[in-house]
Amino acid sequence: MRAWVLLSAVLWYLTGVGWQRNSERTEKGFIYGKPGHPVKVYVKLHHNSPVLVCMDFKLAEKETVDPTYLWVGPNEKPLTGSNRINITNTGKLTVKDFLEPLSGLYTCSFSYKTIKAETQEEKVVKQRYDFMIFAYREPDYSYQMAVRFTTKSCVGKYNDLLFRVLKKILDNLIFDLSCHIIEPSYKCHFVKVPKHGLIHELFIAFQVNPFAPGWKGTCNESIDCEDTTNHNILQARDRIEEFFRSQAYIFNHDLNKTLPAMHFVDHSFQIWFVVLGLLVLMLMLHVRPAFPSKSTELNHASKFQHED
């Protein structure tokens, strides 16, 4: 993947044209430069960029004489008006239908004159403004998930083993959809359970992301493959949900089984539905007491803790 910024919907989405930082933005949506400090701007793919002003906010409030503007793009060539590039006579730049190759450094050289009233002496003042523009892509839909497992102790290497094995299983489960697990984490806590006293539990959280290595191949010739990534992530959600449902099914159809020290906690699987930067609690999956999958790897991790 090229060196362009791929940002999650929750952190990097702002209604309309995108998200920016280290910039000054007016109510009109213009982004002004800062002398000596590159302004970072993030634009969603196939959307128009914000209006970039070849001037800092303070200077824009003053009168300038004979102003000139020269925009230079990432290829270090001067920019001129086209069906994709719009430059006004006051130095405002907009890039339409932003694409990945358009990411990079946009520089504007601004010059104007100061004139002494008594002598009419002219002096040319020059200023440079840098804008770093990055393309980003986001799915319309994404999922945050959480699940809990009991454990024998909060101390020991087998908690980490179970965590890594579970991530590997889930990654393999959705690999063909070009989805993968990102930002996985876990913490061990003491939980007081009625009639059972204190129990050690692992609180595991992760995100399902539709941009695993090779994801572009799933888009074929589509100009905007959000429909494809949305479809894939929905399938990934269904597979992971079914995976944890199967834990209860296995246990309830084999009552002679004994629960190991590490097992899925009833009612613990949760899904948060993320859409356009909004995080909504979509589903708390209520299942009966669950038994671990027949997966050799999960059973292996649990078996080790019994022997510890």
Side-chain angles (χ1 to χ4, degrees):
M1 182 181 292
R2 292 172 57 121
W4 60 288
V5 175
L6 176 64
L7 306 172
S8 75
V10 177
L11 297 180
W12 304 97
Y13 184 83
L14 182 66
T15 302
V17 294
W19 184 87
Q20 76 292 328
R21 62 181 179 183
N22 297 338
S23 61
E24 297 182 18
R25 187 168 186 158
T26 69
E27 293 180 358
K28 295 182 180 180
F30 296 164
I31 296 181
Y32 291 81
K34 289 187 176 181
H37 298 279
V39 175
K40 295 181 180 180
V41 183
Y42 299 87
V43 183
K44 186 178 179 181
L45 283 175
H46 303 290
H47 286 63
N48 295 343
S49 75
V51 178
L52 308 181
V53 182
C54 185
M55 195 178 295
D56 57 84
F57 188 77
K58 183 180 295 186
L59 191 58
E61 297 295 307
K62 300 179 180 180
E63 182 180 80
T64 54
V65 178
D66 293 337
T68 63
Y69 315 89
L70 176 63
W71 281 96
V72 176
N75 58 3
E76 299 184 355
K77 294 182 179 180
L79 296 177
T80 57
S82 66
N83 60 348
R84 191 179 297 277
I85 301 295
N86 181 57
I87 302 176
T88 70
N89 58 4
T90 56
K92 297 180 179 65
L93 169 69
T94 304
V95 184
K96 301 177 181 178
D97 188 24
F98 203 84
L99 299 176
E100 177 184 343
L102 299 175
S103 296
L105 176 64
Y106 287 73
T107 298
C108 183
S109 298
F110 172 55
S111 66
Y112 62 98
K113 296 177 181 178
T114 60
I115 303 176
K116 290 184 179 182
E118 63 274 20
T119 63
Q120 293 297 298
E121 179 184 353
E122 299 181 0
K123 179 181 179 181
V124 177
V125 180
K126 296 182 179 181
Q127 183 64 59
R128 167 175 166 164
Y129 300 98
D130 292 335
F131 298 82
M132 288 296 300
I133 308 182
F134 302 94
Y136 76 92
R137 181 188 295 276
E138 65 177 38
D140 288 335
Y141 303 98
S142 186
Y143 293 95
Q144 176 81 22
M145 300 185 180
V147 68
R148 287 154 57 185
F149 277 76
T150 63
T151 183
K152 186 176 179 180
S153 171
C154 284
V155 179
K157 61 183 179 180
Y158 300 113
N159 294 333
D160 188 62
L161 175 61
L162 173 69
F163 175 71
R164 288 186 285 108
V165 167
L166 179 63
K167 179 183 181 301
K168 180 179 179 181
I169 291 174
L170 297 180
D171 271 332
N172 290 338
L173 192 65
I174 60 179
F175 175 77
D176 64 307
L177 300 173
S178 295
C179 296
H180 63 160
I181 303 301
I182 65 170
E183 299 184 14
S185 64
Y186 78 92
K187 288 185 178 180
C188 188
H189 298 278
F190 297 97
V191 179
K192 184 181 182 300
V193 180
K195 300 181 181 179
H196 290 85
L198 290 175
I199 295 179
H200 299 81
E201 290 189 4
L202 301 179
F203 286 60
I204 301 173
F206 55 90
Q207 293 183 25
V208 182
N209 181 278
F211 301 121
W215 67 269
K216 289 186 178 181
T218 64
C219 295
N220 298 321
E221 300 301 322
S222 173
I223 295 178
D224 189 345
C225 66
E226 286 187 1
D227 286 344
T228 301
T229 55
N230 289 339
H231 176 73
N232 287 348
I233 202 169
L234 284 171
Q235 288 195 64
R237 178 206 64 183
D238 291 343
R239 290 185 188 182
I240 293 175
E241 180 180 333
E242 180 59 30
F243 171 80
F244 288 109
R245 283 187 183 276
S246 69
Q247 312 306 301
Y249 178 87
I250 294 171
F251 174 72
N252 289 315
H253 286 75
D254 195 352
L255 298 179
N256 293 324
K257 289 286 186 178
T258 300
L259 283 174
M262 305 179 82
H263 64 83
F264 174 69
V265 175
D266 183 23
H267 300 282
S268 71
F269 181 58
Q270 299 179 59
I271 301 176
W272 287 268
F273 179 59
V274 182
V275 54
L276 298 179
L278 298 178
L279 188 62
V280 181
L281 180 59
M282 176 184 176
L283 170 67
M284 178 176 287
L285 181 63
H286 293 282
V287 296
R288 296 183 179 182
F291 185 74
S293 165
K294 288 184 178 180
S295 166
T296 303
E297 292 169 309
L298 273 182
N299 287 337
H300 184 65
S302 180
K303 179 180 178 182
F304 270 128
Q305 194 184 51
H306 269 300
E307 296 174 352
D308 189 23

